[in-house]
Amino acid sequence: MNGVSILLIFVGLFLLGGAISFWKQRMPKGVVALLGVGAALSLIAGILRLEVWS
């Protein structure tokens, strides 16, 4: 594991938590969707950068 993959996974989890929080607060669906997409992309990028795949 390198620092970039850990950072991407951390950011993805942070954004996912924000999306869940905003969903519970009944914020606009566009904001929740944008946070959800950003979280998914960050998590996928962080997981794919892990060195266990190579």
Side-chain angles (χ1 to χ4, degrees), residues 35-46:
L35 281 174
V37 168
L41 289 176
S42 293
L43 284 172
I44 290 170

Side-chain angles (χ1 to χ4, degrees), residues 22-44:
F22 280 10
W23 179 262
K24 288 182 179 179
Q25 294 178 24
R26 303 285 185 204
M27 296 293 277
K29 290 183 181 180
V31 174
V32 176
L34 185 64
L35 281 174
V37 168
L41 289 176
S42 293
L43 284 172
I44 290 170

Side-chain angles (χ1 to χ4, degrees), residues 8-25:
L8 284 169
I9 292 172
F10 178 75
V11 168
L13 291 175
F14 180 77
L15 290 175
L16 182 64
I20 292 170
S21 174
F22 280 10
W23 179 262
K24 288 182 179 179
Q25 294 178 24

